[in-house]
Amino acid sequence: MILSSAVMAASLFTACCSKDNGIGADGKWTAEKANAWYEATGWRSGCNYIPNTAINQIEMWQSSTFDPETIDMELGWAEELGFNTMRVFLSSVVWQNEPEAFKTHVSEFLDIANGHGITPFLVFFDDCHVGTASYGPQPEPKVGVHNSGWVKDPANDLYQDTLNTYPVLEAYVKDILTTFKDDSRVLWWDLYNEPNERGIEGQYSLALLRNVFKWAREIRPSQPLSVGVWTDKDYLVEHSVYSLEMSDIISYHEYHTPDMQLKMIDSLKAYGRPMYCTEYMARTKGSTFQDILPLLKENNVSAINWGFVKGKTNTIYAWGDVHPEGEEPEPWFHDIIRPDKTPFSQEEIDVIKKVNGKE
């Protein structure tokens, strides 16, 4: 997909005068600072990661189900493929119920990743999938249904209650950022995944988008901030324009064919900032490792596909393509390998290793 002309117009946005440290009076990094950071950190390749034993962000992080052994094993496999980053979703629900344990688990995860040469970046909010969320035991996956248990963060019922919800979310964001703002184990901060993804949150998601940038800039982490653009739908133009104007580095999602990927890259080059494709690879949509991963590297766009190990998220199944008997689709939609480490496609493994320099 290509961004609408309204979003493209945002490339004319001019930040406040920058200070000598490359940070403007508004807290945004200059393009020069962002590009110097990217040159220093290098091109990155990785996955949107959750262990195969977790159905959602809550199950990944809460004490009763946090699974460092599986994480260590799977990130070891990622290291063998040459992946050097992972996009990982946090959970305000877990933080509200056990904030210190949550931060301990995040730090343990970062230690595990660092031990495998992987520097993750972390996501705060998310408007995708199930609109309700609760701490404690999580539902079992619905057979053959894509991401049946993945939860929005915050949940739908919290959007309108800004008087009570926003102070909690602000405290959450600022606590996590204050704890890890100078931590070299964190690559950057992805503040909000697909705001208004369902087209029903409207101004509530836009208000949260504005606030999360405000809260983060008040902490001024040493790592850059970004919110990805992902569609040119009319109801999201304002969200996209604001995300692009405020982001230190440019991030986006593109799940379609190479020509669509190139259109997105070309449209975003106008910003003159480093670029991350933080979601790609949907085999039935024409987005494959064979075609997209080399293209992204050639254009110096860091590449983060959706999914790694087949597991409780059921992302081997496509959006809306239900398999009630639980049979594997052909091809898989997302993911790369099974829990026993056997690959969906050895050809894909060979391509990933080659592009990542692990032949």
Side-chain angles (χ1 to χ4, degrees):
M1 97 193 131
I2 187 167
L3 297 179
S4 67
S5 58
V7 175
M8 281 296 295
S11 64
L12 301 177
F13 174 79
T14 303
C16 298
C17 295
S18 64
K19 299 178 181 178
D20 290 341
N21 62 2
I23 299 176
D26 59 353
K28 181 181 176 181
W29 287 19
T30 63
E32 292 77 12
K33 181 178 177 65
N35 285 312
W37 171 87
Y38 194 69
E39 184 176 354
T41 55
W43 181 80
R44 297 279 174 159
S45 175
C47 311
N48 281 263
Y49 177 74
I50 187 169
N52 81 83
T53 52
I55 193 172
N56 59 27
Q57 312 93 305
I58 298 170
E59 195 162 50
M60 177 174 179
W61 294 115
Q62 65 186 356
S63 292
S64 60
T65 47
F66 182 60
D67 188 357
E69 291 80 14
T70 295
I71 291 168
D72 187 31
M73 177 181 67
E74 293 180 348
L75 293 188
W77 299 343
E79 180 183 15
E80 292 175 12
L81 297 182
F83 288 129
N84 56 13
T85 191
M86 291 285 162
R87 183 177 186 236
V88 181
F89 288 72
L90 302 173
S91 172
S92 69
V93 173
V94 177
W95 178 86
Q96 288 178 63
N97 285 274
E98 46 172 338
E100 296 308 314
F102 176 62
K103 288 184 289 184
T104 297
H105 295 156
V106 172
S107 185
E108 185 174 353
F109 173 83
L110 294 173
D111 273 341
I112 294 170
N114 183 72
H116 293 292
I118 293 169
T119 311
F121 58 102
L122 306 177
V123 187
F124 278 106
F125 299 133
D126 185 7
D127 274 353
C128 290
H129 299 294
V130 180
T132 58
S134 60
Y135 181 71
Q138 299 300 298
E140 289 300 308
K142 294 180 180 178
V143 176
V145 177
H146 176 101
N147 246 339
S148 65
W150 192 272
V151 294
K152 295 185 180 185
D153 191 354
N156 283 347
D157 61 341
L158 300 178
Y159 268 107
Q160 299 180 47
D161 186 15
T162 56
L163 183 64
N164 293 310
T165 301
Y166 273 35
V168 174
L169 297 181
E170 179 179 4
Y172 160 58
V173 170
K174 289 184 173 181
D175 186 23
I176 298 302
L177 284 178
T178 299
T179 302
F180 298 103
K181 70 186 183 73
D182 294 316
D183 196 321
S184 62
R185 298 173 300 170
V186 178
L187 189 59
W188 56 275
W189 300 96
D190 192 343
L191 299 180
Y192 199 156
N193 180 63
E194 299 194 354
N196 204 18
E197 188 271 343
R198 296 294 183 190
I200 59 174
E201 291 87 4
Q203 293 305 306
Y204 300 117
S205 62
L206 183 59
L208 182 56
L209 176 63
R210 294 180 188 276
N211 273 288
V212 71
F213 268 110
K214 175 179 177 290
W215 300 333
R217 287 266 154 77
E218 288 173 357
I219 302 301
R220 294 210 169 192
S222 61
Q223 311 95 337
L225 310 175
S226 186
V227 169
V229 291
W230 55 280
T231 183
D232 58 357
K233 293 176 181 176
D234 290 342
Y235 67 82
L236 260 170
V237 168
E238 193 171 2
H239 294 70
S240 297
V241 169
Y242 189 78
S243 297
L244 291 167
E245 286 179 351
M246 296 299 293
S247 292
D248 299 320
I249 61 175
I250 300 301
S251 58
Y252 69 92
H253 301 169
E254 178 48 67
Y255 278 114
H256 297 89
T257 55
D259 63 315
M260 298 297 285
Q261 183 72 235
L262 280 172
K263 286 179 180 179
M264 178 65 95
I265 293 171
D266 289 343
S267 71
L268 294 174
K269 280 182 178 177
Y271 291 88
R273 291 175 177 269
M275 292 167 57
Y276 270 73
C277 179
T278 55
E279 292 186 25
Y280 79 98
M281 210 289 287
R283 296 177 182 91
T284 59
K285 299 288 184 181
S287 180
T288 65
F289 285 112
Q290 291 92 326
D291 290 333
I292 303 299
L293 184 56
L295 183 156
L296 290 172
K297 187 171 186 181
E298 180 181 347
N299 285 273
N300 199 26
V301 177
S302 288
I304 320 298
N305 71 278
W306 190 277
F308 184 39
V309 182
K310 172 190 174 185
K312 294 175 76 172
T313 59
N314 273 351
T315 50
I316 65 169
Y317 302 104
W319 313 310
D321 182 22
V322 178
H323 288 241
E325 302 302 318
E327 69 278 14
E328 284 193 0
E330 181 54 48
W332 287 6
F333 191 59
H334 297 319
D335 300 329
I336 303 173
I337 58 179
R338 295 176 172 84
D340 64 2
K341 198 185 175 184
T342 58
F344 166 73
S345 164
Q346 184 59 47
E347 180 186 351
E348 287 181 348
I349 297 296
D350 294 342
V351 168
I352 293 167
K353 285 185 173 182
K354 179 178 180 180
V355 176
N356 288 345
K358 279 284 187 176
E359 286 183 286

